[in-house]
Amino acid sequence: MSFPMRKSPLALAGILLVAVILGFVMLPAIVVTITAFNDKAILAFPPQSYSWRWFARALSYDDFRKGFWNGLIVTAWASTIALIVGSGFALALHRYTFSLKSTLEALLLSPLVIPHFTIGLGLLILSAQLTVGRGFPLVVLAHVILVLPFVLRSVFISLQNLDGRLELAASSLGATPRRVLFTVTLPLLVPGLVSGWLFAAILSFNEFTATLFVSNQTTQTLPVAMYNYVREYADPTLAALSVIYIVVTALLLTLANLFFGLGKILNVDAH
Amino acid sequence: MLTRTDIATPAPSLSTAKPVVQLDGVTKRFGDAIALHEAWLKIAPGECMTLLGPSGCGKTTLLNLIAGFLDADGGEIFIDGALVTETPAHKREIGIVFQNYALFPHMTVANNIAYGLKTRGVEAGEIKRRVDEALALVKLNGFGDRKPRQLSGGQQQRVALARALVIRPKVLLLDEPFSALDKNLRASMQIELKEIQQRLGVTTVFVTHDQGEALSMSDRIAVMSAGRIRQIAAPQDIYCRPQDRFVASFIGDASVLSGKLLAVTDAVAQVAVGSLSVEVPAASLAGLAAGADVDLFVRPEHLVPVDGDGDATAPSLAGTVRTQVFQGGHVDLYIDLGDHAAQPVLLRSSAALAPSKWKAGDVVRVRPISADLVAFPKQDD
Ligand SMILES: Nc1ncnc2c1ncn2[C@@H]1O[C@H](COP(=O)(O)OP(=O)(O)OP(=O)(O)O)[C@@H](O)[C@H]1O
Ligand SMILES: [Mg+2]
């Protein structure tokens, strides 16, 4: 913007307001980060003395290490399965008109309105009834149900942005519907698929409520492990873990941005 | 408009050649709306047929039916003599070019052009040879490695054309291919397409709502309105002998004079406008008795001023100049003819004569000079 901006009292108040809002948004992260360096084994703010020792504990604590790997396994399976199933449904919803189409759409999107604990509780009751153990398949199933709507939406929106004439052109050039799908439709959907998978993965990795119901000591994911930790201890380990979380996520996003262009992956670019 | 040269070759003889595309009463509905009503059409080998009509009249629908992108609700479609009404698009061997080019954005220009050859299992060396040949055809040698987004609109349109032609399609379909291009580029692309079309002798169906484009590009024009084909004829016949009011007023400019039917013989009808009497084809006035009100259609270049010195004795109509519009090469005069025309009539005169001669308010006398006048039953609007 190049138009002259006079610093009127109103403009100054505006700037101040923005700063205050930004401050509030950042506040929890700042407080937690500072707390993580507290030398004392209490969650007090501000700390009297500083150390790195809670970071060491967070990285070596067995349940966290286990929960991290569990989380990765569940996330990888759940978001991949959701991606495949969701793309299939999105393609069907996009391409065909059939009776009960709107019912199917509503069903597929319904996890958005059903609370996570309801899904967790429901699966827990079902698994007890069917005497299925609370193993990984159950946790993965819960996560698939939870992230499916997001994948579906993401793929569906990319499909709607896809110019149908490209597929028509391909078929006029002799491509069978199958060939059109694999040489034109899917390659052009890649940004949508990647962003769908990414959203699913982030949601799944951070999911707590439903996982609490359907996991057990051996399948618990990182958020559940953190919850169990905070029930027993009140030291800054969790704060240290949060800092690690933030740093790692920021690093990953920076890398993703560097290599793929984040706007493209998140499907927010104008073009 | 008058300076347009006719670069079209005579239409191939329709009676002898077996049509490449044939539509027998093809109908298409979308819900309750009829997008195409019983279209009958035969397109001869090598012919360039234009579908011309206002927006929403069903041009794209007709094209999509030929391409196999839509299923007909009635009637039959033949391509090269074979019934294809139920044949899916990928088995019809048709080349299509869309208005927005529809190039595959994730492929290079060369791979775009090669796409139809790869689906046909053409061997790699042959693909390369034919892609290069196609690039040369559209004058894009050396552009093969670019991505579509690195090309201008005109270049993208050429790639789309090359991609459609490289498979040697039975029919080439073009849906308003130039409407996204600016005026100059459009004119040069029209000439280029015409040349390519004639060199390859490829049967072509060309959709446009630009009548100038239709008149200059086509061997024949099918004028459409509201889902119906109104007239199929060579450009000159469409212009000079329109079959109905719609065609007469949609193609070119025309002024409407109010006349009275004097007499009808076999083929010719006498129509009177004021003291004037002119002859028109009787076919378009079928069923009218002498004395009926008719509308006489006159092209602006067929209306001339009667000079005081010249043939002042010939019957003419008196009018008042409403406006005079300088158009560069010519001048448009809008003349109020009082009771003889509901709207001011348009007279087109060479610019060299006009500016000093007439101004608004002047009284002039005019008369039609052409043998190509047409009249239709009067319509109240
Ligand atoms: N998929 C569709 N569903 C419903 N109605 C349609 C569909 N496609 C076209 N129509 C309708 O059919 C009629 C003909 O449409 P068509 O696209 O063939 O017109 P057109 O002559 O190509 O117009 P334009 O010059 O604007 O491209 C229009 O009234 C349009 O609204
Ligand atoms: Mg159209």
Side-chain angles (χ1 to χ4, degrees):
Chain A
M1 264 181 270
S2 58
F3 56 85
M5 202 162 139
R6 274 170 295 127
K7 291 274 190 288
S8 69
L10 204 66
L12 281 177
I15 293 171
L16 200 66
L17 185 69
V18 170
V20 167
I21 292 174
L22 275 179
F24 267 110
V25 170
M26 298 300 294
L27 198 59
I30 294 168
V31 169
V32 165
T33 306
I34 295 172
T35 309
F37 291 95
N38 194 345
D39 190 38
K40 302 258 167 50
I42 46 164
L43 282 169
F45 185 84
Q48 251 83 67
S49 52
Y50 296 87
S51 93
W52 284 93
R53 65 185 177 117
W54 305 112
F55 286 88
R57 178 168 164 78
L59 290 173
S60 60
Y61 189 68
D62 250 7
D63 273 9
F64 289 167
R65 298 173 77 107
K66 193 107 196 314
F68 176 76
W69 289 115
N70 285 349
L72 279 190
I73 293 168
V74 169
T75 292
W77 278 104
S79 27
T80 306
I81 293 174
L83 183 71
I84 295 168
V85 175
S87 312
F89 277 121
L91 273 170
L93 284 174
H94 176 71
R95 189 150 308 167
Y96 307 106
T97 38
F98 45 89
S99 50
L100 297 181
K101 178 171 167 166
S102 51
T103 317
L104 179 66
E105 200 175 338
L107 263 176
L108 288 169
L109 296 178
S110 63
L112 284 177
V113 292
I114 300 175
H116 284 200
F117 67 81
T118 310
I119 290 167
L121 187 61
L123 282 175
L124 183 63
I125 296 170
L126 263 181
S127 73
Q129 199 70 38
L130 302 171
T131 61
V132 189
R134 284 201 263 165
F136 276 116
L138 191 66
V139 184
V140 170
L141 177 64
H143 281 219
V144 168
I145 294 174
L146 288 169
V147 301
L148 190 61
F150 296 94
V151 179
L152 190 76
R153 280 221 91 85
S154 169
V155 179
F156 193 72
I157 287 170
S158 335
L159 268 173
Q160 275 175 329
N161 289 335
L162 183 79
D163 180 5
R165 279 170 288 197
L166 293 174
E167 295 171 305
L168 293 181
S171 70
S172 80
L173 291 167
T176 58
R178 213 184 124 82
R179 197 182 172 102
V180 175
L181 181 69
F182 283 105
T183 59
V184 176
T185 317
L186 284 181
L188 291 175
L189 283 184
V190 163
L193 297 177
V194 172
S195 78
W197 192 90
L198 212 64
F199 273 128
I202 292 170
L203 286 172
S204 167
F205 195 76
N206 288 314
E207 210 289 331
F208 167 67
T209 319
T211 318
L212 185 63
F213 284 84
V214 293
S215 63
N216 58 21
Q217 189 60 37
T218 52
T219 61
Q220 68 178 1
T221 59
L222 191 53
V224 177
M226 290 167 78
Y227 168 73
N228 286 333
Y229 186 90
V230 84
R231 286 202 309 178
E232 284 184 43
Y233 310 97
D235 60 34
T237 309
L238 280 188
L241 198 55
S242 306
V243 173
I244 297 173
Y245 230 104
I246 294 171
V247 170
V248 169
T249 313
L251 267 177
L252 283 180
L253 286 181
T254 311
L255 282 181
N257 196 17
L258 220 59
F259 286 109
F260 308 110
L262 201 57
K264 229 185 204 165
I265 290 182
L266 297 180
N267 238 354
V268 293
D269 258 5
H271 221 81
Chain B
M1 291 290 238
L2 282 174
T3 54
R4 189 192 314 111
T5 53
D6 187 6
I7 56 171
T9 49
S13 163
L14 293 176
S15 47
T16 54
K18 202 176 69 172
V20 174
V21 178
Q22 182 176 342
L23 271 64
D24 284 358
V26 174
T27 296
K28 177 68 194 174
R29 287 184 211 93
F30 292 109
D32 289 339
I34 295 194
L36 191 67
H37 181 84
E38 289 196 18
W40 298 80
L41 189 64
K42 280 183 185 174
I43 304 173
E47 187 178 20
C48 180
M49 167 74 81
T50 294
L51 307 179
L52 174 65
S55 186
C57 70
K59 306 181 293 289
T60 298
T61 303
L62 202 161
L63 211 65
N64 286 344
L65 285 162
I66 299 176
F69 300 152
L70 289 175
D71 292 326
D73 293 313
E76 303 290 5
I77 301 170
F78 300 85
I79 293 175
D80 245 2
L83 180 69
V84 297
T85 316
E86 311 269 303
T87 309
H90 66 272
K91 292 187 183 148
R92 291 199 186 183
E93 294 184 53
I94 274 171
I96 185 153
V97 176
F98 293 101
Q99 177 184 351
N100 71 343
Y101 325 129
L103 297 178
F104 307 126
H106 57 303
M107 296 181 200
T108 62
V109 166
N111 281 335
N112 263 279
I113 300 176
Y115 190 89
L117 299 173
K118 287 181 184 163
T119 63
R120 283 164 171 72
V122 177
E123 159 274 315
E126 169 80 355
I127 289 184
K128 181 165 181 350
R129 199 183 58 72
R130 277 169 70 176
V131 167
D132 287 343
E133 196 180 280
L135 279 171
L137 181 75
V138 295
K139 301 184 186 143
L140 281 180
N141 317 54
F143 283 73
D145 292 331
R146 296 220 195 164
K147 284 288 184 67
R149 65 169 174 279
Q150 297 170 309
L151 300 179
S152 72
Q155 290 167 337
Q156 290 186 43
Q157 193 57 284
R158 286 160 202 261
V159 176
L161 189 60
R163 182 180 68 177
L165 286 173
V166 78
I167 60 169
R168 296 174 189 149
K170 290 177 174 162
V171 194
L172 176 65
L173 307 178
L174 304 118
D175 194 351
E176 310 208 15
F178 305 140
S179 56
L181 306 178
D182 70 54
K183 197 164 157 263
N184 291 334
L185 188 55
R186 187 190 301 198
S188 70
M189 285 293 289
Q190 284 169 1
I191 294 168
E192 204 168 313
L193 173 67
K194 187 75 205 163
E195 278 170 9
I196 290 175
Q197 193 261 331
Q198 286 178 342
R199 179 137 44 100
L200 302 182
V202 58
T203 310
T204 303
V205 186
F206 184 92
V207 165
T208 181
H209 57 237
D210 176 340
Q211 44 162 304
E213 194 165 273
L215 291 169
S216 65
M217 297 281 302
S218 351
D219 296 318
R220 284 191 302 155
I221 299 174
V223 183
M224 299 177 64
S225 114
R228 286 164 199 269
I229 297 180
R230 294 305 188 96
Q231 184 172 5
I232 305 175
Q236 236 139 15
D237 293 339
I238 293 272
Y239 187 76
C240 297
R241 280 177 288 283
Q243 234 159 47
D244 62 23
R245 298 181 69 98
F246 173 79
V247 178
S249 41
F250 186 72
I251 314 289
D253 296 314
S255 304
V256 182
L257 304 185
S258 318
K260 275 220 181 327
L261 185 59
L262 290 180
V264 187
T265 58
D266 295 340
V268 179
Q270 290 283 333
V271 169
V273 180
S275 61
L276 279 176
S277 167
V278 295
E279 288 188 345
V280 297
S284 52
L285 297 172
L288 287 192
D293 288 327
V294 298
D295 285 338
L296 182 71
F297 281 70
V298 186
R299 299 291 182 196
E301 66 275 14
H302 292 162
L303 204 60
V304 293
V306 180
D307 291 328
D309 44 327
D311 41 6
T313 52
S316 58
L317 301 170
T320 324
V321 175
R322 266 285 189 81
T323 16
Q324 172 192 300
V325 184
F326 180 61
Q327 300 277 24
H330 60 262
V331 169
D332 282 344
L333 284 179
Y334 290 89
I335 299 168
D336 202 339
L337 285 186
D339 290 342
H340 299 309
Q343 302 292 325
V345 298
L346 175 58
L347 181 152
R348 195 158 284 164
S349 168
S350 156
L353 301 174
S356 57
K357 204 160 174 183
W358 294 291
K359 51 187 188 299
D362 280 358
V363 173
V364 289
R365 298 194 69 86
V366 297
R367 68 187 176 90
I369 47 158
S370 173
D372 290 324
L373 300 174
V374 285
F376 301 102
K378 183 174 176 62
Q379 194 178 65
D380 301 308
D381 43 20

